[in-house]
Structure formats: structure tokens, C-alpha cells
């Protein structure tokens, strides 16, 4: 949890009566979804000019922010509470960046580094036959 959120929650718990719920109903106890939606969520969304934003869309927005900020699929799975990574990929897979060019470039860098270190001593056009373990010209 980010530090700013810890500070807000600490303030909230200090100011408001302790209850078994962090965000209780106005008279205490369980905060019912329909009451919260009608009394708090919809007026706030209207005032912010974000209608017709749903509470569940806020969850999707949070996942999209995480992915955009570089979270990997496993991090998103854990944060979203998905039991199976397939749920994460089915729901948010289209948001993960296509890193194919990065992977190809990384392989090129590995080869160049191995060649520079002397680990790879092949002449141009020479291939390794891994069965014989000796270089051969093709």
C-alpha cells in the first residue's frame, strides 16, 4: 500500500469511531452497496463529471494503471485477487505491451556479449552442430 494511502487510513481510523468496518454505514455496521452507490458514489461521479462510471470500472482502471506503470501479469493477478492467471490474461491481456522487439534485441545483445567475451568463436556462416559439438561450415 502506498504511503499516502496509509496516512489517509490512519487519519480515518483516528478520527472516526472504531468499528469492525473501516468504512461503516452512517449509523454504523455494514455499508450496503445500493445505499453507498445511491448516496455517495453516484453524486460524486456526477459532481466529477465522470458519469456513467461504475464502481467496478474503477477496479478496471486501477488494473490498467498498474499495467501501464509496468506491473507484470503476476503482480496484477495478486492485486486483483484473481485465483487463476488466465482470468488476468483474459480480462487485461490486451493491455500488456507487445515486447517482441525487446526480446529480439535482448537476444542480439546476448550474442554480442558472448562474442565479445570470447565465449562464441565462430567464423561468419559457421554453425554449431550440437550433436557433434564441433563447428562446421554450411
Amino acid at each position: 500500500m502506498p504511503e499516502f494511502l496509509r496516512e489517509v487510513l490512519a487519519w480515518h481510523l483516528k478520527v472516526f469511531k472504531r468499528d469492525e468496518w473501516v468504512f461503516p454505514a452512517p449509523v454504523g455496521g455494514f455499508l450496503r452497496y445500493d445505499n453507498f452507490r445511491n448516496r455517495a458514489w453516484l453524486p460524486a461521479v456526477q459532481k466529477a463529471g465522470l458519469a456513467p462510471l461504475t464502481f467496478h470500472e474503477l477496479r478496471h482502471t486501477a488494473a490498467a494503471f498498474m499495467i501501464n506503470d509496468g506491473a507484470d501479469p503476476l503482480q496484477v493477478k495478486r492485486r486483483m485477487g484473481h485465483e487463476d492467471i488466465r482470468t488476468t490474461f483474459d480480462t487485461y491481456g490486451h493491455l500488456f505491451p507487445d515486447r517482441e522487439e525487446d526480446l529480439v534485441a535482448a537476444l542480439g545483445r546476448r550474442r554480442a556479449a558472448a562474442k565479445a567475451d570470447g565465449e562464441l568463436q565462430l567464423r561468419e556462416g559457421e554453425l554449431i552442430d550440437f550433436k557433434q559439438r564441433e563447428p562446421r561450415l554450411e
Side-chain angles (χ1 to χ4, degrees):
M1 160 181 323
E3 187 59 33
F4 80 89
L5 189 52
R6 275 192 197 122
E7 291 170 5
V8 170
L9 285 173
W11 172 84
H12 177 85
L13 293 171
K14 190 178 199 180
V15 170
F16 292 94
K17 182 186 124 202
R18 294 223 176 240
D19 196 323
E20 64 180 304
W21 306 101
V22 175
F23 301 105
V27 292
F30 180 72
L31 180 62
R32 300 194 187 289
Y33 171 77
D34 285 337
N35 289 342
F36 167 76
R37 183 177 178 275
N38 293 328
R39 294 178 185 163
W41 179 258
L42 291 177
V45 167
Q46 289 290 339
K47 187 174 182 180
L50 298 173
L53 183 69
T54 67
F55 200 73
H56 196 74
E57 288 170 330
L58 197 61
R59 176 180 164 84
H60 289 304
T61 301
F65 284 166
M66 285 187 271
I67 294 165
N68 191 58
D69 290 342
D72 64 56
L74 190 56
Q75 288 174 304
V76 176
K77 173 195 174 288
R78 289 177 181 150
R79 289 282 177 128
M80 301 309 288
H82 295 154
E83 190 171 316
D84 192 316
I85 192 72
R86 289 177 290 191
T87 303
T88 308
F89 280 120
D90 288 347
T91 307
Y92 304 110
H94 65 287
L95 298 177
F96 287 97
D98 181 354
R99 297 181 46 215
E100 189 63 32
E101 289 180 19
D102 295 342
L103 294 174
V104 170
L107 285 173
R109 288 191 301 274
R110 283 188 183 276
R111 182 184 187 277
K115 204 171 179 184
D117 290 344
E119 295 174 22
L120 186 62
Q121 298 177 1
L122 297 176
R123 294 185 303 271
E124 195 63 38
E126 194 174 23
L127 300 175
I128 296 175
D129 183 342
F130 288 101
K131 292 178 187 169
Q132 296 178 359
R133 295 193 180 265
E134 291 192 25
R136 64 177 172 80
L137 290 177
E138 191 172 88

